Amino acid sequence: MQLAAIIVSLTLTVVGVALLARAIGQFVRYFKLGQPVPAGTRTDNPYQRSVTLVREFLGHTRMNRWGIVGFAHWFVAIGFLTLPPTIVTAYGQLFQADWTLPVIGGFVPYEMYIEFIGSMTILGIATLMVIRLLNLPSRPGRKSRFAGSKAGQAYFVEWVILTIGLAIYVLRGLEGALHHVDHYEAAYFASYPLVLLFKGMSVATLQTLVYLFAMIKLSTTMIWMITVSLNTNMGVAWHRFLGFPNIWFKRNATGETALGALQPMTTGGKPIDFEDPGEDDVYGVSQVEQFSWKGLLDFSTCTECGRCQSQCPAWNTGKPLSPKLLIMSLRDHAHAKAPYLLAGGGKDMEGNEKATAEQLKDVPASALAEAERPLIGTVEENGVIDPDVLWSCTTCGACVEQCPVDIEHIDHIVDMRRYQVMIESAFPSEAGTMLKNLEKKGNPWGLAKKQRVEWTKEVDFEVPIVGKDVEDLSEVDYLYWVGCAGALEDRAKKTTKAFAELLHIAGVKFAIMGGEEKCTGDSPRRLGNEPLFQQLGQENVAMLNMAFGEDDEDESTKKPKSAKKIVSTCPHCFNTIANEYPQLGGEYEVIHHTQLLQHLIDEGRLIPVTPVDGLITYHDPCYLGRHNKVYTPPREIMSAVPGLRQQEMHRHKERGFCCGAGGARMWMEERIGKRINTERVDEALSLNPDIVSTACPFCLVMLTDSVNGKKNDGKAKESLQVVDVAQLLLDSVKTPVDPEPETPAEEPEPVA
């Protein structure tokens, strides 16, 4: 038995180690196929990146949002990293059954640690297996986060971990019996029942069992190593290695998710100069090798856990987009195409083959066939990503927020959209109207710029306009960036007027641009029209810098004398100006109107006094919440309004559900599956609220449309309101409480 155990274990070890080394080399060459990233963007602040990596792993900061799943996974992950000494012990036991590690072997704290982590690894993986079985796609179907995952690979990995854990546990019991543990000891506190079970066996039998279980442990380990080395696209296994560099190289060194700003378009690792583009500049992504090396790393790191899929509004409403399946498709395509690319294959800008037939002669036929597939194409075209998948995305950020290994789904989706829009002119036709209106009139509706200030005639106080009523913004506290919707869309204008009146009541000095501003460019950028975003953004930045008086600097600090403060009622404008205009030279202090209103309430400059009775539920706008982490101010404003009873929808804050308007979806028809805004309103109606509130003009429009439809169908009460929190606050602030009627004093009787 001993000789057989040695031969089997060592043979598998040699094969496993050799294949693992080859697989690592394949990964290195594979990632080098990707495009470079701008210098310093993924390697800045290495100390902070290392701290972030340790915090995310040891704290399991993403995984632990899922309760028992995160708890169980933590022990499995820690066991994987810290139990390798038991592998060394098993090799020693092949030659000497009672062999122990030098120095630490027999050291009680070490022995107790192995007992504890070994046991918890077994319990952890068993828990994860039960959770997987309870959520099989065959049961909840599309609602299962495992729908589309490679179940066979997942079962293989889980059974391997369970087998290794049990082998460690049995070996601990055999070790205790061989070492003549006669009574309960701390070093064997978990495996002591097995020590008692094996205690009566002969030494020869115990030794044979040690050889057997050491072989089982090592063989299982090496079979796993061989299997994953032969399947480099096996994300459920490789994520335990690739997750570490993927987290370390994440966009933000301090650990924030890759949300908020979109990254500028680059080619060859350098931003594209749209005023003077290079002849060889590549616009967007049309071939998998045009993704950056970080993108290729993202694809390989996906563990197929499905957290992104479970939160995706498109997937949850019957659309073809699943962030998980999209990443898996890109991963499998990239790995299948890699032999062709490594041989020098690829297409130039005209679509001509760059490699010679001689270079490609040894490339497998499967890789050559994969190379012929279009990255974006229908099923009939054998495309990797269907166009309906690409255009279903609302860029809400739920996938990025939930991913435990920091995959940057939105960046990859937008990169593919950029090619489709800029080179192929292939995008939903309805969005074309929006783009034309932006090009001609600077707003999505194509209305004249003078209409941007029409709302000011509907309030009974003066709204100062820059260049007309105030010379520049140094005379006011804030520039109120009204935005296209806030100035031109009737429902959103109610929010605009309410917020302006609240500022007037609070005595806040503010001004508006007065029609000279243009759309910030949020929608065209997320649609994929980067040049139009650049044009709109640069014009707005130049106008803002002039309005703020950029040359009016303090001589001692060389900084503007007045802070460049902007407040916006639109989260999309807020996000673009705050997070993306710095890419264009516009550095401003930007806040959302709910943040300013909360501050004014805290200062006592706005005092809600009139009760607004009813049950209210709040919808988190994606670009205010997930993209910018503003969750508290709107809720505190509602808490300050007397009479309101708040109740959260099931999906709220970090797990909030999109209204369906983001990612330029506001301007596209929703033809597949259930409408996203209807799904969200159905969730709100399940609470039977009197008021649905939000803090975004896009959300306001989408929710109102759905609520009105429900009212017409008799599925919502006629009194149900959809309002911005600013409207709620104004109702409570400006309307005085009716004083109680005074009881008239009785007239004194006349004195006789």
Side-chain angles (χ1 to χ4, degrees), residues 7 11 20 71 105 142 175 201 282 295 306 353 396 431 497 543 635 640 652 701 742:
I7 293 172
T11 301
L20 181 64
F71 183 76
R142 191 181 177 97
E175 290 168 22
M201 295 182 180
V282 177
E353 182 63 64
C396 69
K497 291 183 284 187
M543 177 197 63
R635 290 172 169 82
H652 63 280
V701 169
E742 295 183 8

Side-chain angles (χ1 to χ4, degrees), residues 230-287:
L230 293 173
N231 295 274
T232 51
N233 64 343
M234 194 173 177
V236 71
W238 279 104
H239 83 277
R240 62 188 58 203
F241 302 109
L242 299 178
F244 294 108
N246 207 52
I247 294 171
W248 199 90
F249 287 118
K250 68 189 297 183
R251 186 198 291 182
N252 300 309
T254 51
E256 291 87 356
T257 52
L259 295 174
L262 280 178
Q263 299 303 286
M265 276 185 67
T266 61
T267 183
K270 297 179 180 179
I272 294 176
D273 181 356
F274 286 96
E275 295 183 356
D276 185 23
E279 292 183 4
D280 297 329
D281 284 354
V282 177
Y283 300 102
V285 169
S286 63
Q287 301 171 51

Side-chain angles (χ1 to χ4, degrees), residues 194-236:
L194 286 180
V195 174
L196 294 177
L197 179 65
F198 297 135
K199 188 175 180 182
M201 295 182 180
S202 66
V203 172
T205 302
L206 291 173
Q207 290 174 336
T208 300
L209 288 173
V210 168
Y211 302 146
L212 173 63
F213 279 94
M215 180 185 70
I216 291 173
K217 173 175 168 47
L218 294 172
S219 298
T220 305
T221 301
M222 292 306 143
I223 289 171
W224 176 85
M225 186 181 293
I226 291 168
T227 303
V228 302
S229 297
L230 293 173
N231 295 274
T232 51
N233 64 343
M234 194 173 177
V236 71

Side-chain angles (χ1 to χ4, degrees), residues 186 190 219 229 316 436 457 612:
S219 298
S229 297
N316 276 279
K436 290 177 183 176
K457 300 174 183 177
V612 178

Side-chain angles (χ1 to χ4, degrees), residues 617-636:
T617 190
Y618 174 72
H619 164 79
D620 285 285
C622 300
Y623 273 80
L624 183 63
R626 269 191 298 269
H627 282 273
N628 286 283
K629 310 305 177 193
V630 179
Y631 296 112
T632 303
R635 290 172 169 82
E636 293 204 352

